[in-house]
Amino acid sequence: MKSNRRTKRQRSLNQQLLWLGGLPAAVMFLVLLVFFTTLRLDDARNDLYQSSQSLADNLAPAVEYAVVSGNTRNLERLLEDALQRSHAEYIRIANTTGRELGLAKRPGLAWNGGTETFQLFTADILQQPLHMPSGEGFGWFEPDFTAVPSAYRLGEVQVAVSERLLQAKRREIVWTSTIVGLSLLLVSLLIIRQLADRILRPISVISGNISQLINDRSELRALEGGAPEEIRALGEHLEKLAVHLADVRKQREANLTAADDARKRAQEASVAKSEFLAVMSHELRTPLNGISAMLELLQEEPLTSRQKDYLQTARQSASDLITVISDILDVSRLDRGKLKLDTQQFCLRDVIENCVSSFRHESEEAGLTLSLNLEPSWSNNDTVEGDGARLRQVMASLIDNAIKFTHEGQITVKAATRQLDEHTLSLAIEVSDSGRGIPGNQVGSLFRPFSQGDMSNTRQFGGAGIGLSLVQNLVELMGGHVHVESEAGMGSTFRFEIPFRLVATPQQSVPELTEENAAGLHALVVEDNPVNQQVARTLLSRMGFNVDTAEDGQRAVGLVTARNGMYDLILMDCQMPVMDGYEATRCIRDWEALSQREPVVIIALTADASLEAETACEKAGMNDYLSKPVSKDRLKSTVSRWLQKQT
């Protein structure tokens, strides 16, 4: 398409050059043709008229004697001779009375009856007076009459020229002028075409060179020696441009190579970071699972008040460490765009009240008043679809921040709902405190990851600086927005608003599993870490399960097949020696399919909290996924939900 357009433009330029040179030449030759043809026609007419009149004037005295003497033969001879030497159609001699004395005409000329028109040229035939000189010698001649001093008119000579002759002359002049003019015009056009080609050829070469540059080719054709100076200068500039583009191309290729290397290094660094986070998550969560679970089990034992205080401090420290690890992993997932929401039905009021209640003890120990105010316009139907865990995480981060930066006073959580349409409910939550506030010049950096208002070594408050950044990202991921209002010394107010989809018919809550319901159920814990194995076994035993353990996937597959599928639940670790949890799950599913048995509930219990691990668990055939550390309530809720589905 581009080539056709370029050819069309080139032809257009060729035509314009031909018109530019040919049109003035044609006009000039037309004007000159008309002008000189007119002059030649006038000259031919005048020449014909003058020669005919001269013939008449010269013939008149020549025939005087023949007319006077009446010599008719001599008269006709003179007329025939004059007719042959002229262009006249006829020559006629007439006396004063009009009587014809002599006539010479062209052969075939119709006389007195033809339709042909003539131009008539006349001359008087005069008898000149005879002047006799006086004096001696002429006395013998004395006429007896008196001589008339003036000439005597004897008649006239008539020379007739045909209009046809003049028209033939005109045609001849017009044709010869036209042929000469067209020949000169053709020669001029050929010269103009040659000049146009001298201009167009180098332009065509330059156009081809530009196409070569567009196609990243450096082979340029040289201009011919006859190119005009301006076009030659343009070609030289184009050659310089080609050299410059070649340098730019080399620099671009070098930059692309460097960028590609940098991209590969960044990808390798990202992969290394992800692998490092996965390994660190696994290595940290594995002992943390044992610590938090044992502390939770220990809390159920009879303790003194001091022991309870120590235990509460240890649990809080473990909880804070788990929160930091989870936040770092969430930030990493957000950076890679791999953080997904877990959409489930939940009650807004329950999530909000449970979240605020979990901070009451901490706020009371800090000497603060923590209150929750639900607006009177709160919707009667507050069961929605969304990620309730992420909503709780956002609220927990804001409340924890408020407790950290408030020495005295109160923290108020306000919640309101607004129905946008019949299917959408908007939740607005506002967390206000009476703390130290935030200076105006630091508000803009609050939501930057790993950033704090005070980054000095003497800062009063700790933290990794990722809480508010994670809050903003999570709120935006759920389709909402977050806003902060703060003034130094006057406290802060964080407000966020998130839309949720209303549920018309809420699902019935699954009844929790009790020891009576779990009596007679068998569970298998597949875990290579002895501490975590003991934790899982103890938690399931307290729920009422009969528990067996296996230290690797191969041992687990053997137990399932040997005991003929008697297990109702399997808690499967993913990373184990000999055979990992993914391969073990696939083997169990294949055995169930071959033996046509109902699939057992397999729940992944792993320290790898990455999205890739969750996806791998789903592809392997596991029913659900729990990341360590796992609390008793969370494990009980998940197990109850899946066993309820099985029954």
Side-chain angles (χ1 to χ4, degrees):
M1 181 63 73
K2 292 182 179 178
S3 177
N4 293 337
R5 291 179 180 174
R6 184 165 58 250
T7 303
K8 185 177 180 181
R9 286 196 295 268
Q10 183 176 347
R11 290 177 180 173
S12 177
L13 178 60
N14 187 18
Q15 292 175 357
Q16 289 181 11
L17 288 175
L18 290 177
W19 277 106
L20 182 63
L23 185 61
V27 173
M28 179 183 68
F29 280 115
L30 181 62
V31 172
L32 292 177
L33 178 65
V34 173
F35 176 73
F36 286 110
T37 301
T38 304
L39 287 180
R40 288 188 64 194
L41 290 173
D42 291 341
D43 290 343
R45 184 178 62 252
N46 293 334
D47 181 62
L48 182 62
Y49 287 175
Q50 288 177 5
S51 63
S52 299
Q53 186 64 48
S54 296
L55 176 61
D57 292 341
N58 292 329
L59 193 59
V63 300
E64 176 189 356
Y65 174 75
V67 171
V68 172
S69 63
N71 190 346
T72 306
R73 179 175 297 179
N74 187 31
L75 180 63
E76 289 179 356
R77 183 179 57 79
L78 289 174
L79 292 180
E80 288 292 339
D81 186 58
L83 182 66
Q84 295 300 324
R85 297 186 180 188
S86 68
H87 297 289
E89 291 295 320
Y90 70 87
I91 301 175
R92 181 173 177 266
I93 305 296
N95 62 12
T96 55
T97 61
R99 186 175 65 86
E100 184 178 289
L101 300 178
L103 175 65
K105 63 177 183 177
R106 297 286 180 186
L109 178 66
W111 181 253
N112 293 334
T115 58
E116 191 173 358
T117 59
F118 302 96
Q119 286 289 339
L120 196 62
F121 301 91
T122 63
D124 291 336
I125 303 174
L126 300 176
Q127 183 180 8
Q128 297 296 332
L130 181 64
H131 297 282
M132 299 296 293
S134 61
E136 187 178 357
F138 290 94
W140 60 268
F141 183 73
E142 292 182 0
D144 56 355
F145 59 87
T146 303
V148 180
S150 60
Y152 178 72
R153 183 175 181 273
L154 300 177
E156 65 177 3
V157 177
Q158 298 177 356
V159 178
V161 178
S162 176
E163 287 288 341
R164 177 173 46 81
L165 178 62
L166 185 58
Q167 292 175 0
K169 278 286 186 181
R170 289 174 180 171
R171 284 194 298 270
E172 179 185 358
I173 292 172
V174 170
W175 276 109
T176 55
S177 299
T178 302
I179 292 172
V180 172
L182 290 177
S183 300
L184 292 176
L185 179 60
L186 180 60
V187 172
S188 300
L189 291 177
L190 291 175
I191 295 174
I192 292 171
R193 179 61 182 269
Q194 291 295 325
L195 294 176
D197 288 343
R198 289 187 61 188
I199 296 174
L200 289 176
R201 276 197 301 270
I203 291 178
S204 178
V205 172
I206 291 176
S207 177
N209 291 341
I210 292 175
S211 298
Q212 292 287 90
L213 293 178
I214 292 175
N215 296 325
D216 289 338
R217 298 175 183 173
S218 57
E219 300 85 4
L220 302 183
R221 291 174 54 191
L223 296 177
E224 298 177 359
E229 181 180 353
E230 292 80 0
I231 296 181
R232 180 168 293 279
L234 179 61
E236 293 174 355
H237 293 323
L238 187 62
E239 291 177 358
K240 293 179 181 178
L241 177 61
V243 174
H244 176 68
L245 289 178
D247 295 338
V248 171
R249 192 178 299 112
K250 291 179 181 178
Q251 184 64 36
R252 183 192 64 181
E253 291 175 355
N255 292 339
L256 289 176
T257 301
D260 188 58
D261 293 341
R263 180 182 59 81
K264 290 180 180 178
R265 289 195 298 270
Q267 289 178 345
E268 292 172 356
S270 177
V271 171
K273 182 180 75 172
S274 299
E275 292 177 352
F276 172 77
L277 289 175
V279 171
M280 286 299 99
S281 172
H282 184 275
E283 297 301 323
L284 290 173
R285 287 175 179 271
T286 297
L288 276 175
N289 185 57
I291 294 173
S292 60
M294 287 302 179
L295 290 175
E296 187 175 8
L297 292 174
L298 184 60
Q299 196 172 20
E300 297 178 1
E301 302 293 331
L303 302 172
T304 64
S305 59
R306 178 176 294 182
Q307 289 172 336
K308 288 182 180 180
D309 186 53
Y310 292 161
L311 181 60
Q312 181 62 32
T313 302
R315 287 195 65 189
Q316 183 61 46
S317 299
S319 176
D320 292 342
L321 182 56
I322 293 171
T323 300
V324 171
I325 294 174
S326 299
D327 287 351
I328 293 175
L329 288 176
D330 286 342
V331 169
S332 175
R333 291 175 185 170
L334 285 168
D335 289 341
R336 291 178 291 148
K338 293 188 175 182
L339 182 62
K340 293 185 178 180
L341 299 176
D342 182 17
T343 302
Q344 295 182 3
Q345 292 187 13
F346 68 95
C347 177
L348 288 175
R349 181 190 292 266
D350 292 345
V351 171
I352 294 171
E353 289 179 347
N354 290 339
C355 180
V356 174
S357 298
S358 64
F359 284 93
R360 291 197 186 279
H361 178 73
E362 183 180 351
S363 62
E364 290 174 358
E365 286 189 342
L368 303 173
T369 302
L370 176 61
S371 60
L372 171 63
N373 296 329
L374 296 179
E375 295 294 327
S377 60
W378 188 268
S379 174
N380 293 326
N381 180 17
D382 59 355
T383 302
V384 297
E385 285 184 354
D387 196 332
R390 294 298 180 183
L391 173 62
R392 191 184 192 285
Q393 183 180 356
V394 170
M395 289 186 59
S397 180
L398 294 178
I399 296 173
D400 181 68
N401 235 37
I403 294 174
K404 181 192 298 184
F405 292 100
T406 304
H407 295 297
E408 58 182 357
Q410 61 181 5
I411 298 170
T412 303
V413 179
K414 295 181 180 179
T417 57
R418 179 167 56 94
Q419 189 160 345
L420 302 179
D421 54 51
E422 59 178 343
H423 301 295
T424 308
L425 186 70
S426 176
L427 170 67
I429 293 183
E430 185 178 287
V431 179
S432 303
D433 63 66
S434 58
R436 58 197 296 267
I438 306 168
N441 60 348
Q442 296 178 3
V443 172
S445 62
L446 284 178
F447 297 103
R448 287 205 299 264
F450 307 105
S451 175
Q452 291 185 335
D454 183 7
M455 297 295 292
S456 65
N457 292 329
T458 58
R459 64 185 182 182
Q460 184 177 358
F461 303 98
I466 59 176
L468 292 179
S469 171
L470 188 59
V471 164
Q472 184 184 41
N473 287 324
L474 289 176
V475 170
E476 292 177 353
L477 186 64
M478 289 187 283
H481 60 274
V482 62
H483 176 68
V484 59
E485 295 177 0
S486 184
E487 186 177 348
M490 301 297 292
S492 304
T493 298
F494 289 85
R495 175 185 175 86
F496 67 88
E497 190 169 352
I498 301 174
F500 291 98
R501 183 177 178 83
L502 278 169
V503 176
T505 55
Q507 293 179 350
Q508 297 295 325
S509 59
V510 178
E512 285 193 357
L513 194 67
T514 62
E515 292 187 20
E516 292 78 10
N517 295 336
L521 297 179
H522 293 80
L524 175 63
V525 176
V526 187
E527 173 67 65
D528 63 319
N529 185 277
V531 175
N532 287 322
Q533 190 181 99
Q534 181 183 357
V535 168
R537 179 169 188 156
T538 303
L539 291 175
L540 290 176
S541 297
R542 292 199 175 186
M543 293 182 193
F545 283 92
N546 298 313
V547 184
D548 292 331
T549 59
E551 62 275 5
D552 58 65
Q554 186 175 7
R555 172 66 176 163
V557 174
L559 287 175
V560 171
T561 56
R563 299 190 179 183
N564 205 21
M566 75 171 190
Y567 294 110
D568 303 287
L569 172 69
I570 298 177
L571 294 184
M572 182 76 72
D573 189 16
C574 294
Q575 298 178 0
M576 295 178 293
V578 183
M579 180 185 289
D580 60 34
Y582 307 117
E583 184 63 26
T585 301
R586 283 190 287 267
C587 291
I588 293 172
R589 294 306 186 203
D590 291 341
W591 176 79
E592 290 172 343
L594 289 174
S595 58
Q596 297 182 350
R597 293 182 177 276
E598 289 293 327
V600 65
V601 175
I602 303 178
I603 299 175
L605 187 59
T606 175
D608 189 353
S610 65
L611 180 63
E612 291 82 359
E614 185 175 354
T615 304
C617 291
E618 182 180 352
K619 289 182 178 180
M622 300 184 191
N623 299 90
D624 210 334
Y625 166 91
L626 290 174
S627 61
K628 299 174 183 177
V630 60
S631 64
K632 178 182 177 181
D633 293 338
R634 186 178 169 207
L635 177 62
K636 191 174 185 179
S637 173
T638 303
V639 170
S640 300
R641 176 160 49 87
W642 281 105
L643 290 182
Q644 181 70 20
K645 288 183 178 180
Q646 291 294 95
T647 57

